[in-house]
Amino acid sequence: MCRNYEQTPTDYIVIKEQSGEGLCPYDPNHNSTAIYAGPLGQRTDGDLYVATVAQFSGADPLIYREPLRTEQFNFEHLNAPSFVSSIHHGDYVYFFFRETAVEYINCGKAVYSRVARVCTKDKGGPHKFRNRWTSFLKARLNCSLPGEFPFYFNEIQSTSHIVDGLYGGKPAQLIYAVFTTPTNSISGSAVCAFRLEDILKTFDGAFKGHEDVNFNWLPVQNSKVPEPRPGQCVSDSRTLPEQTVNFIKNHNLMDQSVPAFWGKPIVIYTGFKYRYTHIAVDPQIETANGEKFDVLFIGTDNGKVIKALNGGSDGSAHRVIPIIVEEMLVFPQRVPVSNLLVYHTMNEAKLVVVSQDEILTIPLHSCGKLARTCSTCVALRDPYCAWDMNQRVCTSSKQRILKSDKFVQNVVDGWDARCPEDPKPSTSPITVPSTTETSTAQSLTCPPCPIKCVCPSVPAYMDNEVDPAGRPLNKETSPQRSPHQSASRHDNHLGGRPTPQEDPDIRPNIIPDAPDASRDYHLIYTAETLAIAVTSSIVSSLVVGFISGYIFSRRCRNEEIESPYDEGPYLEQQHNARMDHRNLDTFLPATVNNKPINLVLNVPPKSGKTANSSADNKPIQKVKKIYL
């Protein structure tokens, strides 16, 4: 049940009570969304727009605003949807969801991500369409890795609010969204951004339809689209011609999909440890050098929150530089993060993290705790954190806006020449120990790094107790891991700075018990060498097996077993048969007709005759020997 209350200075008064069917699902675990929105320019609290399911079984999905709804039991409107979020902007309310794709039904079953919209001015259609939307349209969201055969992340999980910002020097309104692959596919998650302008352009494009159930879905010709164009906001939808309303009933799907801004995902994770579940955005965080970045907070299904950003967003609208700033374990019991909210006040900035049973707040940044030197502060690549050259601290103070030249920060490169203890990383060659070198000559040349660094092509030794030469490490002189490095990191993300501290399987290929002079890396063979070795092994095994089987069969043959393939018994039987024929000839009487007859006739027996008698009932004559 649903109730409407009116608030008074001292009490609440019940105005109306009604059934909650169509406003709230019977199952609390069903994915539904709702938002209050009113017509643009009207100072009202607005109406309740709901995307959910009706009926106890949940078999009737709908997008509802009293008294309008989508078509009932029409799979072309909504086909087993899971609603994610709803956003009000301008004259439209947008709904984001995933559903079974009707346009793919002739090729199998697939789930696509959608964005749908309805007009806040929609009053329903004329006559029998008075309780139906006249502005309902939907389009596919394309979050994929581009290429000749794109790899799609088809299942949307969450969206952010509309973010206003500058990207490559041009203003744009973006909506960030989290996508995953199906559960029975390669486990992967991604974050894509969609420009509101591209969404509107898609809804103004061609419609998609099909002639019959067994026909393919194709673009609808412009000549078949009625006027006024279906799906637009009009002053009074009840005056629309019935032809327009009929068209939108059967053609609510757009032909083109909404492309991802920047042309590809911003952050990608592939692995079975977790999946992305939710996203929140702190927009346009300005750095000391004047750059602005959208900071993404991504929740996972194992209790973590990942801070990430696109390092190329400020300089270009087509460049993606994925940067993973930090990975924080918020819920130690590894429960899924179900919601995120960035909360700003005059004195603090918090991230609200929600699970099914808890609500926690964590700071948006911990600059002073994660970095103690200039180089480590810059290496964080965190838009919130900059090194104060006067105070000698890593801070997020807003004073850097007024004195930006006194702060050191470089989000894109993670390095700055003004940090004296951090020379620019060199590209010096890496010396790998060989079997002929002694332990004193074995060395690794790695660029200096203020924190425990990992050479580009050398395995990280992390917590091993030996150095690359095999000598024990002195823990008092070995490089220490900074607090930031001790946090879990994205070793499986595309982009960022991969650090393998989290993975216990990453270890050097060193023989543990060998003397110092003999410690070396295992040999690594190419794929061609492996293929040749496997092929030669198979061929040699076949040849040896064939020869062994042939010799074994010759030695173990039993000469006394009568077989049609043994020569001796067969010739003996043939000789005996000839002797029997000679004896038989002496007992057969001579006849006048010497023509041979067949002893078995392939004819039905006649009266008084058997099937074994001849046609003329002649006596048995001498016949030729016939071998069958």
Side-chain angles (χ1 to χ4, degrees), residues 253-301:
L253 179 62
M254 308 311 298
D255 178 59
Q256 296 295 323
S257 59
V258 182
F261 194 61
W262 292 300
K264 63 179 70 174
I266 302 168
V267 181
I268 294 176
Y269 173 80
T270 55
F272 294 97
K273 293 182 180 179
Y274 55 79
R275 286 171 174 260
Y276 295 165
T277 59
H278 208 83
I279 187 170
V281 180
D282 197 5
Q284 299 296 285
I285 302 301
E286 188 173 358
T287 62
N289 53 5
E291 297 176 330
K292 292 183 179 180
F293 300 96
D294 295 335
V295 181
L296 314 178
F297 296 92
I298 308 165
T300 69
D301 60 359

Side-chain angles (χ1 to χ4, degrees), residues 2 9 52 67 71 82 127 136 173 186 188 227 257 263 270 303 314 321 378 396 402 429 445 532 589 608:
C2 287
T52 184
E71 292 289 333
S82 291
H127 310 300
F136 174 76
Q173 293 178 310
I186 299 174
E227 291 292 342
S257 59
T270 55
D314 183 78
I321 304 176
V378 176
S396 61
L402 303 177
T445 304
I532 293 172

Side-chain angles (χ1 to χ4, degrees), residues 6 108 139 176 191 202 205 281 299 309 321 381 397 488 503 556 567 606 626:
E6 180 181 352
Y176 292 88
V191 175
T202 301
V281 180
L309 57 96
I321 304 176
R381 305 174 82 178
S397 174
S488 56
D503 197 343
C556 298
E567 264 183 35
K606 297 181 181 179
I626 299 174

Side-chain angles (χ1 to χ4, degrees), residues 170-416:
K170 297 181 180 180
Q173 293 178 310
L174 301 184
I175 298 174
Y176 292 88
V178 164
F179 294 81
T180 62
T181 56
T183 54
N184 62 342
S185 174
I186 299 174
S187 180
S189 304
V191 175
C192 284
F194 300 93
R195 187 170 55 173
L196 195 60
E197 180 183 345
D198 294 331
I199 296 177
L200 296 174
K201 188 181 299 184
T202 301
F203 283 123
D204 289 337
F207 294 93
K208 178 172 284 189
H210 63 143
E211 297 294 335
D212 194 68
V213 177
N214 297 322
F215 282 69
N216 290 332
W217 288 71
L218 300 172
V220 179
Q221 299 178 4
N222 291 331
S223 59
K224 296 183 179 180
V225 179
E227 291 292 342
R229 180 183 170 86
Q232 302 296 317
C233 273
V234 295
S235 56
D236 189 355
S237 60
R238 292 170 293 186
T239 61
L240 288 172
E242 193 164 331
Q243 182 183 7
T244 299
V245 183
N246 270 324
F247 183 89
I248 204 66
K249 176 183 176 181
N250 300 318
H251 302 84
N252 54 76
L253 179 62
M254 308 311 298
D255 178 59
Q256 296 295 323
S257 59
V258 182
F261 194 61
W262 292 300
K264 63 179 70 174
I266 302 168
V267 181
I268 294 176
Y269 173 80
T270 55
F272 294 97
K273 293 182 180 179
Y274 55 79
R275 286 171 174 260
Y276 295 165
T277 59
H278 208 83
I279 187 170
V281 180
D282 197 5
Q284 299 296 285
I285 302 301
E286 188 173 358
T287 62
N289 53 5
E291 297 176 330
K292 292 183 179 180
F293 300 96
D294 295 335
V295 181
L296 314 178
F297 296 92
I298 308 165
T300 69
D301 60 359
N302 69 341
K304 290 184 179 181
V305 173
I306 299 159
K307 185 195 292 188
L309 57 96
N310 177 14
S313 61
D314 183 78
S316 173
H318 306 283
R319 187 183 181 191
V320 174
I321 304 176
I323 297 176
I324 305 302
V325 179
E326 191 176 0
E327 188 176 294
M328 301 162 282
L329 181 61
V330 181
F331 298 112
Q333 61 271 33
R334 308 275 178 170
V335 297
V337 175
S338 59
N339 207 340
L340 292 171
L341 176 65
V342 177
Y343 177 74
H344 280 283
T345 63
M346 293 295 296
N347 300 322
E348 61 179 357
K350 296 286 186 179
L351 178 68
V352 182
V353 188
V354 183
S355 71
Q356 187 174 1
D357 302 317
E358 290 183 88
I359 298 178
L360 296 178
T361 58
I362 59 176
L364 296 181
H365 46 77
S366 301
C367 304
K369 295 180 180 180
L370 298 178
R372 302 289 184 181
T373 63
C374 175
S375 57
T376 55
C377 185
V378 176
L380 292 177
R381 305 174 82 178
D382 192 335
Y384 296 107
C385 302
W387 179 256
D388 189 341
M389 300 177 66
N390 295 332
Q391 302 294 330
R392 308 291 295 174
V393 292
C394 188
T395 179
S396 61
S397 174
K398 296 182 180 180
Q399 295 179 357
R400 69 175 186 230
I401 300 176
L402 303 177
K403 302 177 181 179
S404 59
D405 57 332
K406 300 298 181 181
F407 290 85
V408 181
Q409 192 175 17
N410 191 332
V411 172
V412 178
D413 299 326
W415 172 87
D416 196 283

Side-chain angles (χ1 to χ4, degrees), residues 444 458-464 466-468 473 506-508 510 521:
L444 290 173
V458 180
Y461 293 91
M462 310 308 302
D463 297 328
N464 285 5
V466 295
D467 64 1
L473 284 174
I506 300 180
R507 291 292 184 267
I510 296 179
Y521 293 92

